[in-house]
Structure formats: structure tokens, C-alpha cells
Coordinates of all heavy atoms in Angstrom, one line a residue:
G7 N -2.3 4.0 -11.1 CA -3.0 5.2 -11.3 C -4.3 5.3 -10.5 O -5.0 6.4 -10.5
Y8 N -4.7 4.3 -9.7 CA -5.9 4.3 -8.9 C -5.7 5.3 -7.8 O -4.7 5.3 -7.1 CB -6.3 3.0 -8.4 CG -7.0 2.1 -9.3 CD1 -6.4 1.0 -10.0 CD2 -8.4 2.2 -9.5 CE1 -7.0 0.2 -10.8 CE2 -9.1 1.4 -10.4 CZ -8.4 0.4 -11.0 OH -9.1 -0.5 -11.9
P9 N -6.8 6.2 -7.5 CA -6.6 7.1 -6.4 C -6.3 6.5 -5.1 O -5.5 7.0 -4.3 CB -8.0 7.8 -6.4 CG -8.5 7.7 -7.8 CD -8.0 6.4 -8.3
M10 N -6.9 5.3 -4.8 CA -6.7 4.7 -3.5 C -5.4 4.0 -3.4 O -4.9 3.8 -2.3 CB -7.9 3.8 -3.1 CG -9.3 4.5 -3.1 SD -9.2 6.2 -2.4 CE -8.9 5.9 -0.7
V11 N -4.8 3.7 -4.5 CA -3.4 3.2 -4.5 C -2.5 4.3 -4.2 O -1.5 4.2 -3.4 CB -3.1 2.5 -5.8 CG1 -1.6 2.2 -5.9 CG2 -3.8 1.2 -6.0
K12 N -2.7 5.5 -4.7 CA -1.9 6.6 -4.4 C -2.1 7.0 -2.9 O -1.1 7.4 -2.3 CB -2.3 7.8 -5.3 CG -2.0 7.6 -6.8 CD -2.4 8.8 -7.6 CE -2.1 8.6 -9.1 NZ -0.6 8.6 -9.3
Q13 N -3.3 6.9 -2.4 CA -3.5 7.1 -0.9 C -2.8 6.1 -0.1 O -2.1 6.5 0.9 CB -5.0 7.1 -0.6 CG -5.3 7.4 0.8 CD -5.0 8.8 1.3 OE1 -4.8 9.7 0.5 NE2 -4.8 8.9 2.6
A14 N -2.8 4.8 -0.5 CA -2.1 3.8 0.3 C -0.6 4.1 0.3 O 0.1 4.0 1.3 CB -2.4 2.4 -0.3
R15 N -0.1 4.4 -0.9 CA 1.3 4.8 -1.0 C 1.7 5.9 -0.1 O 2.7 5.9 0.7 CB 1.6 5.2 -2.5 CG 3.0 5.8 -2.7 CD 3.0 6.3 -4.2 NE 4.2 7.1 -4.4 CZ 5.4 6.7 -4.7 NH1 5.6 5.4 -4.8 NH2 6.4 7.5 -4.9
H16 N 0.9 7.0 -0.1 CA 1.1 8.1 0.8 C 1.1 7.7 2.3 O 2.0 8.2 3.0 CB 0.0 9.2 0.5 CG 0.0 10.3 1.5 ND1 0.9 11.4 1.5 CD2 -0.8 10.5 2.7 CE1 0.6 12.2 2.5 NE2 -0.4 11.7 3.2
M17 N 0.2 6.9 2.7 CA 0.1 6.5 4.1 C 1.2 5.7 4.5 O 1.8 5.8 5.6 CB -1.3 5.8 4.3 CG -2.5 6.7 4.1 SD -4.1 5.9 4.3 CE -4.2 5.9 6.1
V18 N 1.7 4.8 3.7 CA 2.9 4.0 4.0 C 4.1 4.8 4.1 O 4.9 4.8 5.1 CB 3.0 2.8 3.0 CG1 4.4 2.1 3.3 CG2 1.9 1.8 3.1
R19 N 4.3 5.7 3.1 CA 5.5 6.5 3.0 C 5.5 7.5 4.2 O 6.6 7.9 4.6 CB 5.6 7.2 1.7 CG 5.6 6.3 0.5 CD 6.7 5.3 0.5 NE 6.6 4.4 -0.7 CZ 7.2 4.6 -1.8 NH1 7.9 5.7 -2.0 NH2 7.1 3.7 -2.8
E20 N 4.4 8.0 4.6 CA 4.3 9.0 5.7 C 4.3 8.3 7.1 O 4.2 9.0 8.1 CB 3.0 9.8 5.6 CG 3.1 10.8 4.4 CD 4.2 11.8 4.4 OE1 4.3 12.4 5.5 OE2 4.9 11.9 3.5
G21 N 4.4 7.0 7.2 CA 4.6 6.3 8.4 C 3.3 6.0 9.2 O 3.3 5.7 10.4
H22 N 2.1 6.1 8.5 CA 0.9 5.8 9.2 C 0.8 4.4 9.7 O 0.0 4.1 10.6 CB -0.3 6.2 8.3 CG -0.5 7.6 8.0 ND1 -1.4 8.4 8.7 CD2 0.2 8.5 7.1 CE1 -1.3 9.7 8.2 NE2 -0.3 9.7 7.3
L23 N 1.5 3.5 9.0 CA 1.4 2.1 9.4 C 2.6 1.7 10.4 O 2.6 0.6 10.8 CB 1.5 1.2 8.2 CG 0.2 0.9 7.4 CD1 -0.4 2.1 6.9 CD2 0.5 -0.1 6.3
G24 N 3.5 2.7 10.6 CA 4.7 2.3 11.4 C 5.7 1.6 10.5 O 5.7 1.9 9.3
E25 N 6.5 0.8 11.1 CA 7.5 0.0 10.3 C 6.8 -1.1 9.6 O 6.1 -1.9 10.2 CB 8.5 -0.5 11.3 CG 9.6 -1.3 10.6 CD 10.6 -2.0 11.5 OE1 10.4 -1.8 12.7 OE2 11.5 -2.6 11.0
V26 N 6.9 -1.2 8.3 CA 6.3 -2.2 7.5 C 7.0 -3.6 7.8 O 8.2 -3.7 7.8 CB 6.4 -1.9 6.0 CG1 5.9 -3.1 5.1 CG2 5.6 -0.6 5.7
R27 N 6.1 -4.6 8.1 CA 6.6 -5.9 8.5 C 6.3 -6.9 7.4 O 7.0 -7.9 7.2 CB 6.1 -6.3 9.8 CG 6.6 -5.4 11.0 CD 5.8 -5.7 12.3 NE 6.4 -5.1 13.4 CZ 5.9 -5.1 14.6 NH1 4.7 -5.7 14.8 NH2 6.5 -4.5 15.6
K28 N 5.1 -6.8 6.8 CA 4.7 -7.9 5.9 C 3.8 -7.3 4.8 O 3.0 -6.4 5.0 CB 3.9 -8.9 6.7 CG 3.5 -10.2 5.8 CD 3.2 -11.4 6.6 CE 3.0 -12.6 5.7 NZ 2.9 -13.8 6.5
V29 N 4.0 -7.9 3.6 CA 3.3 -7.5 2.4 C 2.7 -8.7 1.7 O 3.5 -9.7 1.5 CB 4.2 -6.7 1.4 CG1 3.4 -6.2 0.2 CG2 4.9 -5.5 2.1
I30 N 1.4 -8.7 1.5 CA 0.8 -9.8 0.8 C 0.1 -9.3 -0.5 O -0.8 -8.5 -0.4 CB -0.2 -10.6 1.6 CG1 0.5 -11.1 2.9 CG2 -0.8 -11.8 0.9 CD1 -0.5 -11.7 3.9
V31 N 0.6 -9.7 -1.7 CA 0.0 -9.2 -2.9 C -0.4 -10.4 -3.7 O 0.3 -11.4 -3.9 CB 0.9 -8.3 -3.7 CG1 2.2 -9.0 -4.0 CG2 0.3 -7.7 -4.9
E32 N -1.7 -10.3 -4.3 CA -2.2 -11.5 -5.0 C -2.9 -11.0 -6.3 O -3.6 -10.0 -6.3 CB -3.3 -12.2 -4.2 CG -4.0 -13.3 -4.9 CD -5.1 -14.0 -4.1 OE1 -5.3 -13.6 -3.0 OE2 -5.8 -14.9 -4.7
Y33 N -2.6 -11.7 -7.4 CA -3.3 -11.4 -8.6 C -3.8 -12.8 -9.2 O -3.0 -13.5 -9.7 CB -2.3 -10.7 -9.6 CG -3.0 -9.9 -10.7 CD1 -2.4 -8.9 -11.4 CD2 -4.3 -10.3 -11.2 CE1 -3.0 -8.2 -12.4 CE2 -5.0 -9.6 -12.2 CZ -4.3 -8.5 -12.8 OH -4.9 -7.8 -13.8
S34 N -5.0 -13.0 -9.1 CA -5.6 -14.3 -9.5 C -6.7 -14.1 -10.6 O -7.6 -13.3 -10.5 CB -6.2 -15.0 -8.3 OG -5.2 -15.4 -7.4
Q35 N -6.5 -14.9 -11.7 CA -7.5 -14.9 -12.7 C -7.8 -16.4 -13.0 O -7.0 -17.3 -12.6 CB -6.9 -14.3 -14.0 CG -6.5 -12.8 -13.9 CD -5.8 -12.3 -15.1 OE1 -5.2 -13.1 -15.9 NE2 -6.0 -11.0 -15.4

């Protein structure tokens, strides 16, 4: 629900990054 997550989603889906090659996601507590 974060606005900038929605923006990131839009930019990836619209091809602003080109072909996605690598994803790094981290959740540390």
C-alpha cells in the first residue's frame, strides 16, 4: 500500500528498468 511501492511497480511494469535481471529483497528484525 505504500505510494512509492506502487510507483516502483509501475516503473518496472512499464519497462523503465528494461529487462529485469536481479531482485534482492531483505526483511531483517
